[in-house]
C-alpha cells in the first residue's frame, strides 16, 4: 500500500492519520519465502514537525510462518511491529539521506507501507526457530520427524567420531 505524502510534507505541523492494511502475503528474502498471516489494519500516524521533519509511527502485530531449525515443521512466530521513522524535510520536500540505499520505503512522495513492515520483520527475525524447546529434529538416515515417532534407524554410525568413541568403549569393556 502506498500513501501519498505530498500534502503532509508541504503543510507545517499537519498531522495525518491513515488506516493501512498490510498487503504482503509473504516475507521474501535470500532465505526463501515465508507466509505472513493474521494481519490487521492499523493506524499509521504521519506528522509534519515544523516543516523540518516527518514523523512516521504506527504499531501492529502479525504472524510469520518459519520452519523449525531442527525438524522443518512450520512454526507460527507472532511479531510486534513498531514503526518509528523520521524523515528530514526541506522546503516541502523530502530530504533524502545520500547514504540511504536505493530500495527504500520512500518513492518520490509516496510512502511504501509494506516496505516499512518488511524492514520491521527483518529487524525482528528470530535467530533461532524451534517448534518446541526439546524438538528432536529429523532422522539423518530416513528423514523421519523424530517428534512424531522414532524410526529405529541406527543413527550413531553416521558420525565417524561417534563410532570411534564406541569402539574405544567396546575395547575398554572387553579388557
Ligand atoms: Zn521442530
Ligand atoms: Zn530414520
Amino acid at each position: 500500500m502506498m500513501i501519498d505524502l505530498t500534502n503532509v510534507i508541504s503543510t507545517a505541523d499537519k498531522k495525518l492519520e491513515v488506516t493501512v492494511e498490510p498487503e504482503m502475503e509473504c516475507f521474501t528474502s535470500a532465505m526463501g519465502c515465508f507466509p505472513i498471516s493474521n494481519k490487521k489494519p492499523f493506524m499509521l500516524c504521519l506528522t509534519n514537525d515544523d516543516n523540518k521533519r516527518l514523523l512516521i509511527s504506527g504499531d501492529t502485530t502479525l504472524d510469520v510462518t518459519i520452519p523449525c531449525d531442527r525438524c522443518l515443521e512450520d512454526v507460527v512466530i507472532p511479531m510486534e511491529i513498531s514503526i518509528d521513522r523520521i524523515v528530514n524535510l526541506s522546503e516541502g520536500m523530502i530530504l533524502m539521506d545520500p547514504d540511504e540505499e536505493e530500495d527504500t520505503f520512500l518513492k518520490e512522495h509516496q510512502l511504501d507501507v509494506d516496505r516499512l513492515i518488511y524492514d520491521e520483520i527483518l529487524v525482528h527475525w528470530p535467530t533461532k526457530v524451534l517448534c518446541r524447546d526439546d524438538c528432536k529434529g529429523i532422522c539423518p538416515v530416513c528423514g523421519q520427524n523424530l517428534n512424531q515417532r522414532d524410526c529405529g534407524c541406527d543413527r550413531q554410525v553416521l558420525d565417524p567420531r561417534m563410532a570411534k568413541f564406541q569402539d574405544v568403549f567396546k575395547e575398554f569393556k572387553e579388557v
Side-chain angles (χ1 to χ4, degrees), residues 139 142 151 153:
C139 168
C142 71
C151 50
C153 291

Side-chain angles (χ1 to χ4, degrees), residues 5-6 8-11 48 51-54 87-96 108-109:
L5 299 176
T6 314
V8 70
I9 59 177
S10 58
T11 315
N48 178 322
N51 267 343
K52 291 191 181 73
R53 303 184 306 165
L54 175 67
V87 177
N88 289 315
L89 301 177
S90 175
E91 294 169 9
M93 303 282 280
I94 293 167
L95 208 58
M96 291 302 287
E108 302 294 325
H109 285 171

Side-chain angles (χ1 to χ4, degrees), residues 68-73 75 130-132 135-137 145 147:
C68 170
D69 289 343
R70 290 185 197 152
C71 73
L72 306 179
E73 288 291 315
V75 187
L130 289 178
C131 60
R132 54 188 222 207
C135 171
K136 297 189 185 84
N145 182 336
N147 298 315

